[in-house]
PDB file of all heavy atoms in Angstrom:
ATOM      1  N   LEU A  56      19.586   3.776  -2.238  1.00  0.00           N
ATOM      2  CA  LEU A  56      18.496   3.396  -3.174  1.00  0.00           C
ATOM      3  C   LEU A  56      17.949   4.555  -3.952  1.00  0.00           C
ATOM      4  O   LEU A  56      18.089   5.747  -3.577  1.00  0.00           O
ATOM      5  CB  LEU A  56      17.393   2.725  -2.354  1.00  0.00           C
ATOM      6  CG  LEU A  56      17.795   1.476  -1.517  1.00  0.00           C
ATOM      7  CD1 LEU A  56      16.562   0.935  -0.723  1.00  0.00           C
ATOM      8  CD2 LEU A  56      18.457   0.427  -2.367  1.00  0.00           C
ATOM      9  N   GLU A  57      17.265   4.296  -5.013  1.00  0.00           N
ATOM     10  CA  GLU A  57      16.725   5.299  -5.864  1.00  0.00           C
ATOM     11  C   GLU A  57      15.218   5.555  -5.521  1.00  0.00           C
ATOM     12  O   GLU A  57      14.770   6.712  -5.466  1.00  0.00           O
ATOM     13  CB  GLU A  57      16.785   4.941  -7.374  1.00  0.00           C
ATOM     14  CG  GLU A  57      18.199   4.971  -7.937  1.00  0.00           C
ATOM     15  CD  GLU A  57      18.060   4.696  -9.475  1.00  0.00           C
ATOM     16  OE1 GLU A  57      17.618   5.575 -10.215  1.00  0.00           O
ATOM     17  OE2 GLU A  57      18.377   3.526  -9.833  1.00  0.00           O
ATOM     18  N   ALA A  58      14.467   4.518  -5.202  1.00  0.00           N
ATOM     19  CA  ALA A  58      13.009   4.640  -4.849  1.00  0.00           C
ATOM     20  C   ALA A  58      12.647   3.427  -4.141  1.00  0.00           C
ATOM     21  O   ALA A  58      13.211   2.283  -4.438  1.00  0.00           O
ATOM     22  CB  ALA A  58      12.206   4.831  -6.115  1.00  0.00           C
ATOM     23  N   ILE A  59      11.585   3.407  -3.340  1.00  0.00           N
ATOM     24  CA  ILE A  59      11.204   2.378  -2.374  1.00  0.00           C
ATOM     25  C   ILE A  59       9.718   2.240  -2.484  1.00  0.00           C
ATOM     26  O   ILE A  59       8.983   3.244  -2.508  1.00  0.00           O
ATOM     27  CB  ILE A  59      11.630   2.700  -0.975  1.00  0.00           C
ATOM     28  CG1 ILE A  59      13.126   2.795  -0.866  1.00  0.00           C
ATOM     29  CG2 ILE A  59      11.089   1.706   0.033  1.00  0.00           C
ATOM     30  CD1 ILE A  59      13.595   3.480   0.401  1.00  0.00           C
ATOM     31  N   LEU A  60       9.217   0.948  -2.487  1.00  0.00           N
ATOM     32  CA  LEU A  60       7.812   0.635  -2.317  1.00  0.00           C
ATOM     33  C   LEU A  60       7.657  -0.416  -1.223  1.00  0.00           C
ATOM     34  O   LEU A  60       8.317  -1.450  -1.313  1.00  0.00           O
ATOM     35  CB  LEU A  60       7.160   0.200  -3.585  1.00  0.00           C
ATOM     36  CG  LEU A  60       5.664   0.028  -3.581  1.00  0.00           C
ATOM     37  CD1 LEU A  60       5.070   0.405  -4.869  1.00  0.00           C
ATOM     38  CD2 LEU A  60       5.314  -1.358  -3.258  1.00  0.00           C
ATOM     39  N   ILE A  61       6.782  -0.175  -0.224  1.00  0.00           N
ATOM     40  CA  ILE A  61       6.599  -1.165   0.823  1.00  0.00           C
ATOM     41  C   ILE A  61       5.209  -1.775   0.608  1.00  0.00           C
ATOM     42  O   ILE A  61       4.183  -1.010   0.535  1.00  0.00           O
ATOM     43  CB  ILE A  61       6.630  -0.471   2.203  1.00  0.00           C
ATOM     44  CG1 ILE A  61       8.107   0.201   2.321  1.00  0.00           C
ATOM     45  CG2 ILE A  61       6.459  -1.443   3.293  1.00  0.00           C
ATOM     46  CD1 ILE A  61       8.068   1.168   3.502  1.00  0.00           C
ATOM     47  N   THR A  62       5.182  -3.135   0.577  1.00  0.00           N
ATOM     48  CA  THR A  62       3.916  -3.866   0.243  1.00  0.00           C
ATOM     49  C   THR A  62       3.051  -3.969   1.400  1.00  0.00           C
ATOM     50  O   THR A  62       3.308  -3.553   2.549  1.00  0.00           O
ATOM     51  CB  THR A  62       4.265  -5.209  -0.230  1.00  0.00           C
ATOM     52  OG1 THR A  62       4.673  -6.052   0.872  1.00  0.00           O
ATOM     53  CG2 THR A  62       5.305  -5.269  -1.281  1.00  0.00           C
ATOM     54  N   GLY A  63       1.903  -4.563   1.210  1.00  0.00           N
ATOM     55  CA  GLY A  63       0.942  -4.954   2.217  1.00  0.00           C
ATOM     56  C   GLY A  63       1.437  -6.178   2.988  1.00  0.00           C
ATOM     57  O   GLY A  63       2.374  -6.884   2.585  1.00  0.00           O
ATOM     58  N   SER A  64       0.862  -6.457   4.180  1.00  0.00           N
ATOM     59  CA  SER A  64       1.259  -7.558   5.110  1.00  0.00           C
ATOM     60  C   SER A  64       0.072  -7.910   6.004  1.00  0.00           C
ATOM     61  O   SER A  64      -0.644  -7.013   6.347  1.00  0.00           O
ATOM     62  CB  SER A  64       2.431  -7.110   5.841  1.00  0.00           C
ATOM     63  OG  SER A  64       2.837  -8.072   6.886  1.00  0.00           O
ATOM     64  N   PRO A  65      -0.024  -9.207   6.383  1.00  0.00           N
ATOM     65  CA  PRO A  65      -0.994  -9.515   7.432  1.00  0.00           C
ATOM     66  C   PRO A  65      -0.582  -8.986   8.798  1.00  0.00           C
ATOM     67  O   PRO A  65      -1.386  -8.969   9.718  1.00  0.00           O
ATOM     68  CB  PRO A  65      -1.011 -11.014   7.420  1.00  0.00           C
ATOM     69  CG  PRO A  65       0.250 -11.436   6.834  1.00  0.00           C
ATOM     70  CD  PRO A  65       0.636 -10.418   5.878  1.00  0.00           C
ATOM     71  N   ALA A  66       0.676  -8.562   8.967  1.00  0.00           N
ATOM     72  CA  ALA A  66       1.087  -8.035  10.215  1.00  0.00           C
ATOM     73  C   ALA A  66       0.640  -6.694  10.487  1.00  0.00           C
ATOM     74  O   ALA A  66       0.255  -5.976   9.551  1.00  0.00           O
ATOM     75  CB  ALA A  66       2.686  -8.051  10.273  1.00  0.00           C
ATOM     76  N   GLY A  67       0.624  -6.243  11.747  1.00  0.00           N
ATOM     77  CA  GLY A  67       0.263  -4.962  12.179  1.00  0.00           C
ATOM     78  C   GLY A  67       1.486  -4.235  12.675  1.00  0.00           C
ATOM     79  O   GLY A  67       2.488  -4.828  12.991  1.00  0.00           O
ATOM     80  N   VAL A  68       1.650  -2.974  12.567  1.00  0.00           N
ATOM     81  CA  VAL A  68       2.765  -2.230  12.972  1.00  0.00           C
ATOM     82  C   VAL A  68       3.066  -2.388  14.473  1.00  0.00           C
ATOM     83  O   VAL A  68       4.191  -2.154  14.854  1.00  0.00           O
ATOM     84  CB  VAL A  68       2.660  -0.638  12.647  1.00  0.00           C
ATOM     85  CG1 VAL A  68       2.544  -0.454  11.151  1.00  0.00           C
ATOM     86  CG2 VAL A  68       1.495  -0.106  13.453  1.00  0.00           C
ATOM     87  N   TYR A  69       2.106  -2.795  15.230  1.00  0.00           N
ATOM     88  CA  TYR A  69       2.289  -3.022  16.653  1.00  0.00           C
ATOM     89  C   TYR A  69       2.761  -4.456  16.962  1.00  0.00           C
ATOM     90  O   TYR A  69       2.952  -4.783  18.113  1.00  0.00           O
ATOM     91  CB  TYR A  69       0.939  -2.704  17.373  1.00  0.00           C
ATOM     92  CG  TYR A  69      -0.271  -3.280  16.660  1.00  0.00           C
ATOM     93  CD1 TYR A  69      -0.572  -4.616  16.647  1.00  0.00           C
ATOM     94  CD2 TYR A  69      -1.067  -2.429  15.919  1.00  0.00           C
ATOM     95  CE1 TYR A  69      -1.632  -5.089  15.904  1.00  0.00           C
ATOM     96  CE2 TYR A  69      -2.179  -2.877  15.182  1.00  0.00           C
ATOM     97  CZ  TYR A  69      -2.401  -4.256  15.181  1.00  0.00           C
ATOM     98  OH  TYR A  69      -3.582  -4.752  14.498  1.00  0.00           O
ATOM     99  N   ASP A  70       2.859  -5.334  16.018  1.00  0.00           N
ATOM    100  CA  ASP A  70       3.191  -6.642  16.212  1.00  0.00           C
ATOM    101  C   ASP A  70       4.715  -6.820  16.529  1.00  0.00           C
ATOM    102  O   ASP A  70       5.498  -6.042  16.040  1.00  0.00           O
ATOM    103  CB  ASP A  70       2.880  -7.599  14.987  1.00  0.00           C
ATOM    104  CG  ASP A  70       1.418  -7.822  14.802  1.00  0.00           C
ATOM    105  OD1 ASP A  70       0.701  -7.644  15.780  1.00  0.00           O
ATOM    106  OD2 ASP A  70       1.023  -8.146  13.686  1.00  0.00           O
ATOM    107  N   ASP A  71       5.055  -7.785  17.305  1.00  0.00           N
ATOM    108  CA  ASP A  71       6.425  -7.998  17.686  1.00  0.00           C
ATOM    109  C   ASP A  71       7.179  -8.943  16.716  1.00  0.00           C
ATOM    110  O   ASP A  71       7.646  -9.954  17.019  1.00  0.00           O
ATOM    111  CB  ASP A  71       6.462  -8.725  19.057  1.00  0.00           C
ATOM    112  CG  ASP A  71       7.898  -8.745  19.671  1.00  0.00           C
ATOM    113  OD1 ASP A  71       8.682  -7.953  19.264  1.00  0.00           O
ATOM    114  OD2 ASP A  71       8.153  -9.595  20.590  1.00  0.00           O
TER     115      ASP A  71
END
Side-chain angles (χ1 to χ4, degrees):
L56 305 178
E57 291 184 72
I59 297 162
L60 186 146
I61 304 169
T62 73
S64 174
V68 298
Y69 42 74
D70 287 340
D71 188 24

